[in-house]
Amino acid sequence: MPTADCRLLHHGRIMRCLTYLLLLPETLKKSKKVCKLPGRLPVCYEILTLSLTSKKKQQQQKEEEEKMAAELYPAANTNNPNLSNGTTVADTEKTKEVHVSQASSAATTPTTQQNINNNNVDPPSWQCSHPTLRERNALMFNNELMADVHFIVGPLGESQKVPAHKYVLAVGSSVFCAMFYGDLAEEESEIHIPDVEPAAFLILLKYMYSDEIDLEADTVLATLYAAKKYIVPALAKACVIFLETSLEAKNACVLLSQSRLFEEPELTQRCWEVIDAQAELALCSEGFCEIDLQTLEIILRRETLNTKEVVVFDAVMNWATAECKRQGLGPTTRNKRNVLGKALFLVRIPSMSLEEFADGAAQCDILTLEETHNVFLWYTAAKKPDLEFPLTARQGLVPQRCHRFQSSAYRSNQWRYRGRCDSIQFAVDKRIFIAGLGLYGSSGSKAEYSVKIELKRQGVILAQNLTKFVSDGSSSTFPVRFEHPVQVEQDAFYTVSAVLDGNELSYFGQEGMTEVQCGKVTFQFQCSSDSTNGTGVQGGQIPELVFYA
């Protein structure tokens, strides 16, 4: 056969073989047996194999993305049939506008759509559906995906395993940065943190991943501890603000102890304000029994506790009983003295009345016979024995008075009562404690009035007291107090009212002021709809508010 014909025949066989391989890949092995040309067919076979391998890799990548989406949104993928091809719940929301656009476009034909699908255009990933760094970081919070460290948080038996990402933690905390990337970096994949509560640690991590702060009363102290331990000042400040807003008499002593531990002077000062003004409520609370011995001694040294010393003594005995229980001891007299130590001699027993001492401290057996004998002699004898207890009474707090009238007057036909209500509304620009009201008395002679005073906020009664007072016929004001001072927050209107009952006419105020500056506190007044006896801003009863600040 001529050389040219041989070459044409050889070339034709190659082209025919390539055609079979490209169009009929499933018959590839059969075609290989038919084609006898050495060195030619294997090259074609390799080309096709590489093409098929590339498609297989694309398919595997697609499956991995679908698996990642399923891990991020496991519940959504099972419940929503529309979430396919790796599309997440967030993806469906993000792509609503795209669907509308596609529906309105007449140029997109089924063939075009089929071409797009056949060309393996990747479906939207979770990264695409969360465009901001904050959103993507938030998805990684408490997520095993790409986690390179795990924490075992909490005491043994109550611990919780928490996944995390070293880079995120190191960026948010210098402690974590040194832990993972410092000279003495941790090499272990699991790090034990037994002194932090799991709930508090998760709040810390949530803030570091997303800047979100989610505080609760039950975990805020533990969260503050975690924020201090890992030096996250913004979270610590948020915890302190939360504690200040939730501060009241029943938790003031506990928060005082914690604020000293965490070295938060502003919170400490706020605690002292509450403890001083509402000392009886604070000392009688369950929280007082939970404080440590050092905090107990600091409170007992406090000069401005606004309560009787017998209340202080009873509170100390309650604390001693609780401390014996914490130490596994019986609440015997000897054990109580041992746990109190020198704190017992910080109680100012000689400042009690003789009756209060005889009915209380003298009968509880906490004092020795010699101590009891010496205290009785101190009360009664001309030559008083030396005592180990402080002798002087506490100074307490000096009440302040806000007077809202510039003058007072009386007329023959007013001011009458007969059970009608005098009321006024007020607001302050600083937190104070309302102790009671100053009221006008009889304009004629000495007279007794029964009175019910009340403090409300938005219709809710915060305090009330039913009592009596005697006036001397002067235009002076006569204080009537609530049982305990009541905390009043700034920039909120409160309503005070007084219902008097008496036969005598009284003085009344004139030239009332809508704004009064009293020391560092500014008061604003406005009329109250509860007032049925004529009292308002310009005139009437309730000339004074008695308060601590």
Side-chain angles (χ1 to χ4, degrees):
M1 180 177 292
T3 304
D5 292 341
C6 291
R7 289 178 179 176
L8 285 174
L9 179 60
H10 188 69
H11 180 71
R13 289 178 178 176
I14 292 176
M15 294 302 295
R16 189 160 48 251
C17 183
L18 285 175
T19 301
Y20 287 150
L21 289 176
L22 293 174
L23 297 180
L24 300 173
E26 66 275 5
T27 60
L28 182 60
K29 292 183 179 180
K30 296 180 180 179
S31 300
K32 183 177 179 181
K33 292 179 180 179
V34 174
C35 188
K36 304 296 184 178
L37 297 178
R40 299 290 184 175
L41 186 58
V43 174
C44 303
Y45 180 80
E46 290 174 2
I47 293 172
L48 181 59
T49 302
L50 288 174
S51 176
L52 293 175
T53 303
S54 178
K55 290 184 178 181
K56 184 176 180 181
K57 287 183 177 180
Q58 292 179 2
Q59 182 65 24
Q60 289 177 346
Q61 182 179 359
K62 180 178 178 181
E63 290 176 355
E64 289 177 358
E65 291 181 354
E66 291 177 352
K67 183 178 179 181
M68 181 182 296
E71 290 178 352
L72 288 172
Y73 304 98
N77 288 342
T78 57
N79 296 330
N80 192 343
N82 296 326
L83 301 183
S84 59
N85 297 330
T87 307
T88 65
V89 174
D91 293 335
T92 61
E93 296 296 327
K94 294 288 185 177
T95 56
K96 283 182 179 179
E97 296 181 1
V98 178
H99 291 313
V100 174
S101 175
Q102 290 175 348
S104 62
S105 176
T108 305
T109 64
T111 304
T112 306
Q113 186 64 39
Q114 184 178 0
N115 289 339
I116 293 175
N117 292 336
N118 290 342
N119 287 336
N120 296 318
V121 175
D122 292 334
S125 64
W126 62 270
Q127 292 96 333
C128 296
S129 59
H130 297 83
T132 67
L133 177 62
R134 181 177 176 274
E135 290 176 332
R136 294 192 292 274
N137 268 359
L139 284 178
M140 295 296 101
F141 164 64
N142 200 19
N143 196 329
E144 288 286 353
L145 183 63
M146 294 185 283
D148 53 0
V149 66
H150 290 79
F151 295 93
I152 309 300
V153 187
L156 186 64
E158 301 177 8
S159 61
Q160 179 177 338
K161 188 174 183 179
V162 179
H165 307 80
K166 293 181 179 180
Y167 169 75
V168 177
L169 302 190
V171 169
S173 164
S174 58
V175 176
F176 283 125
C177 184
M179 182 185 296
F180 299 133
Y181 301 106
D183 295 335
L184 301 175
E186 291 278 355
E187 298 293 340
E188 298 180 1
S189 60
E190 289 188 355
I191 300 174
H192 293 261
I193 308 178
D195 59 328
V196 177
E197 294 183 10
F201 192 74
L202 287 173
I203 293 173
L204 171 70
L205 260 59
K206 185 175 182 179
Y207 169 73
M208 299 178 73
Y209 276 82
S210 64
D211 281 343
E212 295 180 12
I213 300 177
D214 205 1
L215 298 175
E216 296 180 0
D218 294 339
T219 57
V220 63
L221 284 174
T223 304
L224 177 58
Y225 173 77
K228 287 283 188 177
K229 177 176 181 177
Y230 294 104
I231 313 180
V232 185
L235 180 59
K237 183 177 181 180
C239 291
V240 171
I241 294 174
F242 182 93
L243 290 171
E244 287 181 352
T245 57
S246 61
L247 178 62
E248 51 188 346
K250 65 181 181 181
N251 61 13
C253 294
V254 173
L255 293 183
L256 174 67
S257 177
Q258 297 297 325
S259 66
R260 292 179 55 255
L261 175 65
F262 296 135
E263 298 181 348
E264 290 290 343
E266 293 182 5
L267 180 58
T268 300
Q269 179 59 33
R270 281 287 298 116
C271 290
W272 280 126
E273 291 174 5
V274 175
I275 293 172
D276 283 342
Q278 298 178 307
E280 185 171 345
L281 292 175
L283 297 181
C284 294
S285 67
E286 293 181 2
F288 178 80
C289 296
E290 298 174 5
I291 62 177
D292 58 279
L293 178 60
Q294 187 177 6
T295 303
L296 173 68
E297 292 177 350
I298 292 174
I299 292 176
L300 294 180
R301 291 190 179 98
R302 190 77 173 173
E303 191 70 32
T304 48
L305 290 180
N306 199 40
T307 188
K308 295 181 178 180
E309 200 64 25
V310 64
V311 174
V312 177
F313 178 82
D314 291 341
V316 170
M317 292 300 100
N318 292 335
W319 182 91
T321 301
E323 183 64 18
C324 286
K325 185 177 180 180
R326 281 191 290 269
Q327 296 186 18
L329 304 173
T332 63
T333 300
R334 181 176 181 179
N335 289 338
K336 288 181 181 180
R337 282 191 69 114
N338 288 338
V339 298
L340 282 170
K342 296 180 180 179
L344 176 62
F345 299 98
L346 296 175
V347 181
R348 306 186 183 192
I349 289 179
S351 66
M352 299 180 190
S353 67
L354 177 59
E355 183 179 0
E356 288 173 340
F357 173 73
D359 292 340
Q363 297 187 34
C364 72
D365 296 330
I366 193 69
L367 304 180
T368 64
L369 288 176
E370 182 181 0
E371 289 168 346
T372 303
H373 178 261
N374 287 340
V375 172
F376 272 119
L377 288 178
W378 191 90
Y379 280 116
T380 57
K383 184 179 180 181
K384 301 183 183 298
D386 294 331
L387 299 178
E388 296 185 69
F389 302 97
L391 303 180
T392 58
R394 302 179 194 274
Q395 294 179 0
L397 295 176
V398 179
Q400 301 182 51
R401 299 189 177 198
C402 174
H403 198 91
R404 67 188 190 92
F405 295 126
Q406 299 183 64
S407 64
S408 61
Y410 71 93
R411 298 191 182 96
S412 60
N413 61 344
Q414 58 180 345
W415 202 265
R416 294 183 183 275
Y417 297 104
R418 305 286 183 175
R420 290 187 292 268
C421 179
D422 291 286
S423 182
I424 194 72
Q425 287 190 333
F426 73 95
V428 291
D429 64 344
K430 296 181 184 299
R431 185 184 293 107
I432 64 171
F433 298 87
I434 291 291
L437 310 177
L439 301 177
Y440 286 123
S442 170
S443 57
S445 59
K446 183 178 179 180
E448 182 181 77
Y449 294 88
S450 62
V451 59
K452 178 184 178 181
I453 59 174
E454 197 172 72
L455 174 65
K456 296 190 298 186
R457 179 181 180 182
Q458 297 178 346
V460 178
I461 298 176
L462 303 179
Q464 60 183 5
N465 192 23
L466 180 61
T467 185
K468 295 181 179 181
F469 73 95
V470 178
S471 65
D472 57 6
S474 69
S475 61
S476 302
T477 59
F478 300 90
V480 180
R481 294 177 177 269
F482 294 109
E483 185 177 0
H484 303 289
V486 183
Q487 183 170 278
V488 169
E489 300 296 336
Q490 64 186 35
D491 302 328
F493 273 95
Y494 293 77
T495 303
V496 288
S497 59
V499 179
L500 285 84
D501 194 4
N503 294 325
E504 295 294 330
L505 299 178
S506 78
Y507 286 89
F508 60 92
Q510 297 183 129
E511 300 178 276
M513 297 173 285
T514 58
E515 184 172 304
V516 179
Q517 185 74 30
C518 188
K520 297 181 179 180
V521 183
T522 301
F523 287 78
Q524 291 183 334
F525 294 95
Q526 66 181 26
C527 294
S528 168
S529 59
D530 293 345
S531 187
T532 58
N533 200 42
T535 292
V537 174
Q538 297 302 319
Q541 258 285 13
I542 316 180
E544 286 182 341
L545 299 179
V546 183
F547 68 99
Y548 300 111

